Structure formats: C-alpha cells, structure tokens
Amino acid sequence: MIIEAERSCLLLVDFQGRLAPAISGAMETVAAARRLALAARLFGVPVIASEQNPQGLGPTIDSLRELPELVIAKTAFDASRQSELQDALDEDRDTVLIAGWEAHVCVMQTAFGLKMNGFAPVVVADAIGSRQPASKAAALDRLARHGVEIVTSEMVVFEWLQDCEHPRFKEALALIK
C-alpha cells in the first residue's frame, strides 16, 4: 500500500503536556509528529488532534498546538468513538496516519477502532511513545499482527512526494534533514 497525500489524514493522539515527562523518548516523538504535521501542510493533508481528558492532562503541547485544523476532546481511549472525529473523517481520505501517546492504549485502540470502521490506519512508529519502551514495542507488534501498517515519518514524507520532481520536494526534504 502506497500512502497517497490525496487519500491521507493525520491524527495526533494525545500529545499533552502533563503526559510528556512520563513518556519515554517524548521529545523525539514530538519532533517526528511535528515533521509529519508540517509535511501534511505542504501536501494539503488535514491534521486533527485529540486530547484525552484535557481538564486533567492539559492541552496539546506548544510545539504541536498550532498545527491541527481541529482538536477533539475525549474521554474514551479510542478517539474514533468521538462523533466529532467521525464527522471530520472523509471516506475519500481513508488512510489515517496516527502519531501519539500512549502507544499501547490510545494509539492502539484508535487504530483498531478506525480499522473496524473501514479506514486504513497507519501507525507512525517514530512518532508514537509510551511510558515504557516495552509497552510501545508490544503495541507495534500487536498492531502489525492485526494488519495495521507500521511506517516511519520519513517513509510517509517520501510516499507523499512520490517523485523528486514534485514541486514541494525541496521543502519536504528540508523537514527530514
């Protein structure tokens, strides 16, 4: 499956400030998510964010806060259960790239929920994190065993580009370097 910009949507799951200190490799995952969100802007890919119990965990972290077009507050771990997300997703953009925290809870449950609802979830491995590295590894293994694509942020950017002749090539390449 090639990831096409015209068929993609980016979902940033629960990148919230109060979670950051507990997430293993938090800043690296945020950097990858930011790279993806900025690339999404270059290619016209919608960006949506979810916030788990924002009254308790606070808003999306500063470095990502201005990038989504829509932010959805939620209490369910599976963001796809939120009517606002269901309304925002477009059947023509059936590939939903997922970045976020925690990999073994909200990211995984959201990916499974999207898959059950007919979407093609794609989890971006370098843009997800958990408190424990073992939890992230177990989530990636389980997701892959259940048919969810696992990619990296760089893979996504190059698949969105498709060709070095793309008019946004230099801008996209600058995000990766």
Side-chain angles (χ1 to χ4, degrees):
M1 165 179 131
I2 296 293
I3 300 167
E4 299 171 292
E6 305 78 33
R7 297 186 61 136
S8 296
C9 174
L10 175 60
L11 179 59
L12 304 174
V13 176
D14 306 348
F15 280 106
Q16 292 164 264
R18 291 199 187 125
L19 285 175
I23 301 297
S24 177
M27 291 307 100
E28 292 84 0
T29 63
V30 169
R34 183 169 173 77
R35 179 174 36 254
L36 273 175
L38 291 171
R41 281 187 170 176
L42 288 178
F43 298 109
V45 173
V47 179
I48 301 169
S50 68
E51 295 176 344
Q52 178 71 30
N53 184 25
Q55 296 80 5
L57 295 175
T60 299
I61 61 172
D62 291 343
S63 60
L64 297 175
R65 191 173 301 152
E66 80 283 357
L67 297 171
E69 291 104 47
L70 174 66
V71 178
I72 298 166
K74 67 183 184 69
T75 57
F77 301 127
D78 173 1
S80 76
R81 293 178 53 193
Q82 297 300 128
S83 61
E84 297 91 347
L85 182 59
Q86 293 167 9
D87 293 344
L89 292 175
D90 182 343
E91 63 187 35
D92 293 333
R93 290 186 176 273
D94 58 350
T95 303
V96 182
L97 294 132
I98 305 171
W101 298 334
E102 287 202 65
H104 64 294
V105 183
C106 295
V107 169
M108 187 179 68
Q109 289 187 33
T110 298
F112 287 152
L114 288 166
K115 187 172 179 178
M116 286 184 349
N117 287 304
F119 290 91
V122 176
V123 173
V124 186
D126 59 328
I128 64 169
S130 290
R131 294 169 196 266
Q132 300 298 320
S135 295
K136 175 181 172 176
L140 287 169
D141 180 60
R142 185 174 175 201
L143 287 159
R145 280 187 289 113
H146 290 278
V148 174
E149 289 281 329
I150 309 296
V151 298
T152 67
S153 57
E154 189 169 331
M155 291 165 74
V156 172
V157 173
F158 278 102
E159 288 181 46
W160 282 347
L161 276 168
Q162 296 183 15
D163 192 309
C164 68
E165 298 284 325
H166 191 288
R168 309 303 297 261
F169 178 75
K170 288 183 180 178
E171 292 168 276
L173 195 59
L175 293 174
I176 293 168
K177 291 186 174 187

